[in-house]
Amino acid sequence: MINRSTRPQRRETSEARLAFWLMLPAAALLCGVLLFPMLTTLRDSLFLNKLTEPWLRGFVGFQQYAQMAGDPRFLQALRNTLFFGVLTVGGSFLVGIPMALAAHTPSRIRGLARVALLLPWAMPPVISGLIFAWLFNGQYGVFNDLLVRAGLIQEPLRWLSTPGLAVVAMVITIVWKTSSFVALIVLGGLQGIPRELTEAAEVDGATRVQGFFRVLLPLLAPSLAVAFIFRAISAVQVFDIPYTFIQQAPAQGLLETLGVYIYRTSIEFLDFGYGAALSVALFALSLAVTAVYVRFVRDEGTT
Amino acid sequence: MSEADQPKPRLNPAERVGRALALTALVVGGFFPFVWMVLTSLKNEGELQKFPVQYLPSGLNLGNYARVFSEQPFAQFFTNSLVVSLLATALCIVVAVPAAYALARLHVRGRGVLLTTVVAFSMFPVVSLLVPLFRLFRGANLLNTYPALILPYAALSLPVAILTLVAFFSAIPRDLEAAAMVDGTDRVGAMLRVVLPLSAPGMVTAALLVFVNSWNEFLLALSFNTKLTMRTVSVGVTLYQGEFAFPWPLIAAAVVIATVPIVLLIAIFQKRFVAGLTAGGVKA
């Protein structure tokens, strides 16, 4: 608006040209390292390509997708993924929201609380898996020790080698690791809400609990939606923690997620074709979640 | 915005207790697993194999830390992680800053679509990229080199870096650039001399997010750099376990060393991390 001597159209074309050059390196990196390989996977999924049976090669169309429907291991992995997804996303909200509220209230140890909030989020997932495998150790684990001391169990539980318990252990591990993310996004939302709003509700006679559900929660809806979408996508793709757990747990079938099954199909069984088809299925699942996100962003309006 | 300005809420005694309990749970829950690894790393096998658990080690036994370095080339793993993560961060930020500037500041047609596309890129499952990237890098003779990890790490973190920077750039008043342009500099000059210096905190924030992502990545590091001297720490910590044996004090010591950079960054830059996650997640 300041530079009146230039005509608006010309300024817009020169700006558009500048913008193009500024965005080009990012576009090149994203397309070269992410988009192109993804398209390769899409193509690979239509071809047989198994290193252990190199004589069976060639275009098979959607045959490998049809194969999934009759593959009990895939169906199990899909069920596991969805099951863990529901439990860990739900769990991370149940734990994460109170964490955010605790970290939001002013206190002398706010800095410490914030570090405690960030640590699980920033910890490498593989390392979180290792730490919790140790906490859940069947002989000398802390969880067993606490449960025995509390008188809740007589003998140490073999968490990782008992299928049902291994599932519980993994859910707890993933919830520990991911609640922080939910808490941080919610904390961001809380910081954007003027305190007067919650105080006004209190003056009107609402208890703190009522104030939370009637005033705070609706205002937090955008943050919660963002946290939900990102959590849902990471849950669908979860790999590192199940991979670490499976190394230590004989109860493998119940712990194998889609991500782990794809890795094993491609890298351990060297079946690149079927692995690619499974990858596309996982991507489709992620896209389904993304579609919800896009719709949400469109409804809210980008600013 | 500033937390010091916020008035202290009036709390009744029950609420005080509740808040104290919640804060304690938060701090203990966040720190305990890490503290437990530190304690485990100081124990010997004998102290470890006790039930009920012996919580404190009997002395400052640093032997496990020495063994971490003597049984695997862990110093090399650490250097590899440092080089890869720092270079991936540098590459990512150098590429993200101009793109984010264009998206936040210039008249770009289809800006909403472009931002949505950026978000969509962060949805790619890494495991789906594994085989094609492996073939690409094998063809280019890049396996077991730093670029084999730097390129994908920079690309994988690019969406979050761009979204974070867009949020930071958008918060800088346009009048400042306009004023600089009246004073005779062009748009690129205004970008370099006004906007970039002011958004240094945003760049630090984005860089921290990229660094943490790169330091923590496991799957690609496991698959692309298989030569022992090219391993990164996230893979390195898993190399101490035998087929049936888990030397936990040793693993614990490796875990502690591997997380030192992360813990340090978190302790120093906690506010920046919170700002970054909030900006990238919610505002963009």
Side-chain angles (χ1 to χ4, degrees), chain A residues 114 122 145 176 208 233 237, chain B residues 15 29 53 55 123 216 270:
Chain A
R114 202 149 32 188
D145 185 68
W176 178 81
R208 232 161 242 274
I233 286 166
Q237 300 181 356
Chain B
E15 285 171 344
V53 169
Y55 276 80
M123 311 297 169
N216 292 354
Q270 24 124 347

Side-chain angles (χ1 to χ4, degrees), chain A residues 14 63 114-115 135 156 185 203 228 278:
Chain A
S14 82
Q63 188 191 304
R114 202 149 32 188
V115 176
L135 290 172
I185 300 290
V203 171
F228 175 78
L278 291 170

Side-chain angles (χ1 to χ4, degrees), chain B residues 92-103:
Chain B
C92 186
I93 296 303
V94 164
V95 169
V97 164
Y101 179 83
L103 285 168

Side-chain angles (χ1 to χ4, degrees), chain A residues 2 15 26 41 44 106 114 122-124 126 134 139 142 145 149 176 188 195 208 226 233 237 263 283 290, chain B residues 6 15 19 29 36 40 51-53 55 95 107 123-124 128 132 135 182 187 216 218 222 248 259 270 278 281:
Chain A
I2 299 289
E15 271 206 359
T41 299
D44 287 352
R114 202 149 32 188
M123 205 62 102
V126 181
W134 174 230
Q139 286 164 289
V142 169
D145 185 68
R149 279 177 206 255
W176 178 81
R195 203 174 280 283
R208 232 161 242 274
V226 168
I233 286 166
Q237 300 181 356
Y263 174 80
F283 184 50
T290 314
Chain B
Q6 288 177 358
E15 285 171 344
R19 188 190 66 171
W36 187 238
T40 302
F51 200 84
V53 169
Y55 276 80
V95 169
H107 287 280
M123 311 297 169
F124 279 15
S128 306
R135 274 194 242 148
V182 167
R187 190 162 262 290
N216 292 354
F218 174 71
L222 175 74
W248 282 110
T259 40
Q270 24 124 347
T278 321

Side-chain angles (χ1 to χ4, degrees), chain A residues 87-97 174-175 178-180 182-183 231:
Chain A
L87 285 185
T88 62
V89 173
S92 65
F93 275 81
L94 281 180
V95 179
I97 294 174
I174 298 177
V175 168
T178 56
S179 298
S180 282
V182 175
R231 271 298 296 121

